[in-house]
Amino acid sequence: MKIILVVGARPNFMKVATVYKAFKKNYPLVNVKICHTGQHYDAKMSHIFFNDLEMPQPDFYLGVGSGSHAVQTANIMIEFEKVCLEEKPDVVLVSGDVNSTIACGLVAAKLQIKLGHIESGLRSFDRKMPEEINRILTDCISDYLFVTEKSGLENLKNEGIPQEKIFFTGNCMIDSLIDFLPKAQNSEIKQKLGINEKYILLTFHRPSNVDNREFYNGFQKLIQRYSNNFKFVFPIHPRTRKNLETFGINISNYPNLILTEPLGYIDFLRLIKDSFCVITDSGGIQEETTYLGIPCVTIRENTERPITVEVGTNYLAGTDFNNVFNIVDDIINNNAKKGKIPFLWDGKAGERVAKIIIEKFNNHNN
Ligand code: UD1
């Protein structure tokens, strides 16, 4: 049996690593290959994650890089089709909601290769997000849909996906978190950045925020409002860095705002774990903070991960910074909600995914 695991952009690496390891550990005879599309190509957005997650180098690197959505998606398809035609895998596994996910999913489905989708069923119900389009379409063409939270089950059912394709396996990204938390404890990132006191961790990369000049007014008010009491740590995503330059906004002069390049997985985990709270527009960080019990304020109008708000420590603040301030004030006044860890976020999701793929493959071929 041959499987190709696809990765492309930063959030894919930690979801796929655990499935790769589960195959290696429990089914060593399965031929598992890794294909990196090259959607993210900077060392700090990509290569560092292979080291941090103790993954081998990819077997195929498509080197596709940036472009408009159409160009990026099309180029990935052209290159990935060549890999599939040459390798003839039995199963292609994609994860999450990035352009690499739908591009490689489409290639596999049209070549009639079985397609598995890790982190299936999440919905923001906001089709202005490119990720929402990618999620819906990937789920539509997948044969095995691996779901992280109960909302995913309901969404897929409502979309008419046959029940026998849907598997509630838990959260593969949380598997990686659990695996690497001890290592993160030894990270020296706090010394490197000179942090000894309470800090708030910031990440912003969502186009609806960072492509909008207004957003940076709120951002600067946020820093001014709390920087007497807190340090801020802000690893800057390439998209955000480019926009700051384009808009001519200089944020390098705030004494308590520590700016860094994007960080590796281990260093970033350490920073989440020790933070006072996280303010973000990321998807995955809403889940990581929920697992770690760290308050998370999400600057978005919606979330495709409602369990993090219902059960976890996440607050959906919307994009009005006055709301963000109210929530942060509440957290400072010791009113942060006490979250719980969602069902099946137990470090075993990757093993469940691997087991199901093996069973399905065996049933299909007997
Ligand atoms: C992509 C995903 C998003 C995910 C995010 C995580 C899609 C549609 N979006 O968004 O869901 O949350 O990754 O980071 O797939 N760039 C670099 N170096 C890199 C990669 C990108 O400089 O290694 C620059 C590109 O030139 C581009 C910008 O960053 O201008 C955005 O990159 P892109 O891959 O298009 O999307 P992201 O915003 O990273």
Side-chain angles (χ1 to χ4, degrees):
M1 180 185 187
K2 187 188 273 185
I3 300 183
I4 296 186
L5 296 182
V6 173
V7 291
R10 187 167 61 176
N12 296 141
F13 305 120
M14 38 294 225
K15 292 166 195 165
V16 161
T18 173
V19 179
Y20 177 82
K21 287 170 195 167
F23 275 112
K24 288 283 156 201
K25 179 173 151 225
N26 298 338
Y27 310 99
L29 296 181
V30 175
N31 185 357
V32 185
K33 297 204 162 173
I34 299 173
C35 178
H36 187 335
T37 66
Q39 176 175 347
H40 282 174
Y41 45 86
D42 283 358
K44 292 195 163 125
M45 295 296 288
S46 166
H47 312 314
I48 190 171
F49 288 87
F50 280 82
N51 289 335
D52 276 3
L53 292 158
E54 298 168 12
M55 294 280 284
Q57 288 306 304
D59 299 276
F60 312 100
Y61 186 75
L62 307 183
V64 165
S66 300
S68 69
H69 284 272
V71 166
Q72 190 175 57
T73 309
N75 284 338
I76 296 169
M77 288 184 70
I78 291 169
E79 294 307 316
F80 188 62
E81 188 180 53
K82 293 178 196 161
V83 172
C84 287
L85 289 173
E86 179 71 27
E87 292 292 316
K88 301 188 173 41
D90 300 292
V91 177
V92 166
L93 261 186
V94 295
S95 71
D97 54 18
V98 301
N99 286 341
S100 300
T101 310
I102 180 62
C104 295
L106 265 177
V107 168
K110 291 203 173 178
L111 291 174
Q112 296 178 27
I113 299 165
K114 293 287 182 200
L115 177 64
H117 184 203
I118 299 166
E119 197 188 82
S120 176
L122 298 181
R123 296 290 181 268
S124 65
F125 302 101
D126 174 4
R127 292 206 185 182
K128 291 197 290 300
M129 289 178 78
E131 294 84 355
E132 182 74 354
I133 314 265
N134 293 341
R135 290 181 201 114
I136 294 170
L137 296 181
T138 305
D139 285 340
C140 248
I141 54 173
S142 291
D143 301 285
Y144 316 128
L145 296 91
F146 302 112
V147 175
T148 52
E149 63 165 81
K150 68 175 185 334
S151 73
L153 296 175
E154 286 154 31
N155 296 332
L156 294 174
K157 189 171 163 208
N158 291 340
E159 287 172 24
I161 307 275
Q163 209 57 36
E164 63 271 17
K165 291 186 176 181
I166 304 171
F167 306 93
F168 192 6
T169 44
N171 194 322
C172 289
M173 195 187 61
I174 297 299
D175 289 6
S176 289
L177 186 159
I178 293 170
D179 263 6
F180 287 99
L181 206 51
K183 204 168 157 192
Q185 204 49 49
N186 297 326
S187 149
E188 291 177 355
I189 189 66
K190 285 169 68 185
Q191 293 91 306
K192 268 194 211 149
L193 297 177
I195 322 170
N196 308 306
E197 53 282 275
K198 279 200 289 193
Y199 62 92
I200 295 177
L201 182 61
L202 305 172
T203 83
F204 301 107
H205 73 281
R206 199 66 54 203
S208 55
N209 283 334
V210 301
D211 294 1
N212 172 9
R213 201 187 183 299
E214 294 281 292
F215 171 80
Y216 299 94
N217 298 338
F219 175 89
Q220 294 188 69
K221 279 191 199 147
L222 171 79
I223 308 300
Q224 283 155 8
R225 186 177 167 109
Y226 298 105
S227 60
N228 285 341
N229 300 319
F230 290 95
K231 283 212 165 174
F232 286 91
V233 184
F234 185 26
I236 309 182
H237 187 279
R239 172 187 285 279
T240 311
R241 180 170 33 77
K242 280 187 191 161
N243 283 330
L244 283 163
E245 278 161 25
T246 310
F247 294 138
I249 301 170
N250 181 2
I251 55 168
S252 63
N253 292 329
Y254 293 99
N256 271 346
L257 175 60
I258 302 171
L259 303 175
T260 78
E261 300 272 288
L263 296 172
Y265 185 59
I266 300 294
D267 287 341
F268 193 71
L269 266 191
R270 176 74 198 267
L271 285 185
I272 300 182
K273 191 188 142 283
D274 288 357
S275 65
F276 175 73
C277 74
V278 181
I279 308 179
T280 188
D281 59 12
S282 157
I285 294 170
Q286 298 172 56
E287 297 182 340
E288 289 165 333
T289 46
T290 273
Y291 184 84
L292 293 169
I294 302 292
C296 178
V297 185
T298 300
I299 304 194
R300 285 176 48 186
E301 296 297 345
N302 48 57
T303 179
E304 60 288 332
R305 295 163 160 88
I307 198 87
T308 61
V309 177
E310 288 158 19
V311 170
T313 49
N314 187 24
Y315 297 84
L316 195 56
T319 48
D320 177 347
F321 271 83
N322 290 320
N323 245 340
V324 175
F325 302 153
N326 287 338
I327 296 167
V328 175
D329 288 348
D330 251 14
I331 298 171
I332 291 173
N333 292 327
N334 278 328
N335 291 326
K337 54 184 173 182
K338 305 274 172 276
K340 289 204 205 95
I341 295 175
F343 181 54
L344 289 184
W345 292 19
D346 59 358
K348 306 230 176 305
E351 296 198 358
R352 291 187 197 103
V353 168
K355 183 163 185 268
I356 289 163
I357 290 174
I358 296 289
E359 281 169 8
K360 289 283 152 189
F361 180 77
N362 288 341
N363 289 346
H364 188 73
N365 288 293
N366 286 335

